[in-house]
Amino acid sequence: MPPARLLHVSSADMTTAVCSQTADDTTGMPASAEEDQSEKAVSSPGDPEDPVLSKRQRKKLLKQQKWEEEREQRKQRRKERKQQRRLQRQNHQEGGEVQSTRKRARREATPSSLRLVVDCSFDSLMLIKDVRKLHKQIQRCYAENRRASHPVQFYLTSLGGQLRQSMDEKDKGWVNWKDIHIKTEHYTEVVSQEELVYLTSDSPNVLTELDPQRAYVIGGLVDHNHHKGVTFERATELGISHAQLPLSSFVKMNSRKVLAVNHVFEIILAYLEKGSWQEAFFTVLPQRKGVVAVGRDATEPPKKDDETDSDSDSDPETTAQTEQRA
């Protein structure tokens, strides 16, 4: 019947129309809007006028583009600098000149047969923060000895425990240190006992001169005066000779006489260079200790004993003085 056929066709058409309408509703925009959106999606990300990018993104892209454009120029400049350095080395070698001021100073140094030993057997008496301060003081000793005019034979004994851990964590390059003897053994196993002299401020003996045949031991201890006399007691128990630096004979200080490891080490280096204890003391000791020559009045009132004197590595004034001497 014709009406039935017409109804069937109308249903199919209706289904097609509904699907078409659904597709239009899904896109939610006219054909022109779809074209605009497509243009935005494929627009160049390097276009600084692209409204999709933020200001920071545009700056970053411009910077990247500039870096890429200048790649060849940078490569050429590196090549020119490398060639220039090669020519300079050739000219120095032909003229018999040395390549480095530091190396020249090192070659002109006259090594001393004197031995300085830092005794690191006090690890169990220190907190980890004090062990790290000792580590810095040892670094200072090593650096000063490397550029000294009369470098000593440097020994580091009883290395282990917290100090070894600190060195491994904070300064892995210590395993490549040169001109130093690093031992895990006690210093009595490294040097003959008859040649040892323990430097301690508690000793009644005053050192007047240095014997190049002896090995002088410095106690590697940062204890803020918590273990008074422990180095003197160790030396006495082991039957080792002991002495103190002639500090009181040449200078007066407003603070206590206990010196940091690197101070004692540097004073001996300065004495070997200058031949005068007084000059050595004034060259090394920090001004905060109120150092004046014996027979002169201090220019400022005495200060209360500073229990952090041994922490010289963290004192900016001391660091500045050492850098200036170097």
Side-chain angles (χ1 to χ4, degrees):
M1 297 172 63
R5 182 181 179 184
L6 179 60
L7 177 62
H8 176 72
V9 173
S10 299
S11 298
D13 293 341
M14 181 65 71
T15 302
T16 303
V18 170
C19 293
S20 176
Q21 181 65 30
T22 303
D24 291 342
D25 292 342
T26 302
T27 58
M29 61 181 70
S32 60
E34 289 180 352
E35 293 175 359
D36 294 342
Q37 184 66 22
S38 176
E39 290 178 359
K40 290 183 179 180
V42 299
S43 61
S44 174
D47 185 0
E49 299 300 326
D50 187 356
V52 177
L53 299 177
S54 66
K55 184 177 180 181
R56 177 177 296 180
Q57 289 173 327
R58 289 198 300 271
K59 290 177 64 177
K60 185 175 181 180
L61 288 173
L62 288 173
K63 184 177 180 180
Q64 180 67 19
Q65 288 177 349
K66 184 178 180 181
W67 188 88
E68 292 291 344
E69 292 170 358
E70 296 178 351
R71 181 189 298 271
E72 290 300 324
Q73 296 178 9
R74 292 195 303 274
K75 183 177 179 180
Q76 183 62 27
R77 286 197 296 267
R78 288 196 298 269
K79 185 176 180 181
E80 291 174 356
R81 288 196 296 268
K82 185 176 180 180
Q83 186 176 4
Q84 185 178 8
R85 288 195 297 269
R86 186 183 299 113
L87 291 174
Q88 289 177 349
R89 286 196 296 268
Q90 291 176 354
N91 292 336
H92 288 171
Q93 292 174 358
E94 291 173 0
E97 299 179 8
V98 294
Q99 300 179 20
S100 169
T101 303
R102 183 180 294 274
K103 289 183 179 180
R104 180 173 63 250
R106 188 68 184 139
R107 279 196 287 265
E108 291 177 354
T110 304
S112 171
S113 61
L114 189 78
R115 288 162 290 176
L116 280 184
V117 182
V118 176
D119 173 19
C120 303
S121 64
F122 301 97
D123 193 85
S124 61
L125 300 181
M126 293 183 287
L127 301 174
I128 185 61
K129 64 177 183 178
D130 295 326
V131 171
R132 288 170 180 165
K133 291 175 182 177
L134 174 61
H135 175 202
K136 291 181 180 179
Q137 293 177 9
I138 292 173
Q139 286 178 315
R140 179 76 66 83
C141 294
Y142 173 75
E144 290 298 325
N145 194 50
R146 288 282 292 168
R147 53 177 171 252
S149 59
H150 298 287
V152 298
Q153 309 303 309
F154 188 10
Y155 286 79
L156 202 62
T157 62
S158 299
L159 179 63
Q162 298 180 102
L163 179 59
R164 174 66 179 266
Q165 181 180 353
S166 176
M167 294 173 69
D168 288 337
E169 292 176 355
K170 304 294 183 180
D171 182 18
K172 295 181 180 180
W174 71 268
V175 294
N176 298 319
W177 283 1
K178 300 177 181 179
D179 302 325
I180 183 173
H181 307 277
I182 300 178
K183 306 290 184 180
T184 57
E185 297 85 2
H186 194 264
Y187 59 87
T188 55
E189 301 177 37
V190 178
V191 181
S192 173
Q193 185 167 329
E194 292 75 19
E195 299 174 347
L196 293 168
V197 178
Y198 212 114
L199 298 177
T200 169
S201 60
D202 297 301
S203 173
N205 305 321
V206 179
L207 194 67
T208 56
E209 59 182 14
L210 296 174
D211 185 347
Q213 304 304 319
R214 307 298 291 270
Y216 295 89
V217 184
I218 304 172
L221 176 63
V222 177
D223 68 335
H224 306 284
N225 215 23
H226 294 159
H227 300 282
K228 295 182 178 180
V230 64
T231 54
F232 177 64
E233 292 175 2
R234 292 277 181 93
T236 303
E237 291 173 358
L238 294 173
I240 298 171
S241 299
H242 47 78
Q244 63 170 290
L245 295 179
L247 196 63
S248 302
S249 302
F250 296 94
V251 299
K252 294 188 298 183
M253 297 191 303
N254 291 334
S255 61
R256 61 195 178 97
K257 294 192 299 181
V258 178
L259 303 177
V261 172
N262 60 291
H263 282 164
V264 178
F265 197 101
E266 292 173 40
I267 286 171
I268 292 178
L269 289 178
Y271 175 76
L272 291 175
E273 178 183 355
K274 301 177 182 300
S276 166
W277 284 115
Q278 188 172 48
E279 288 188 42
F281 291 138
F282 277 99
T283 300
V284 175
L285 295 178
Q287 295 179 1
R288 62 185 171 82
K289 287 184 173 289
V291 180
V292 294
V294 170
R296 293 179 53 190
D297 295 330
T299 57
E300 56 186 39
K303 300 177 182 178
K304 186 178 180 179
D305 284 357
D306 183 3
E307 293 193 358
T308 60
D309 283 346
S310 59
D311 306 342
S312 62
D313 53 88
S314 61
D315 181 61
E317 184 177 329
T318 306
T319 303
Q321 287 182 340
T322 303
E323 292 176 351
Q324 185 177 4
R325 290 196 301 275

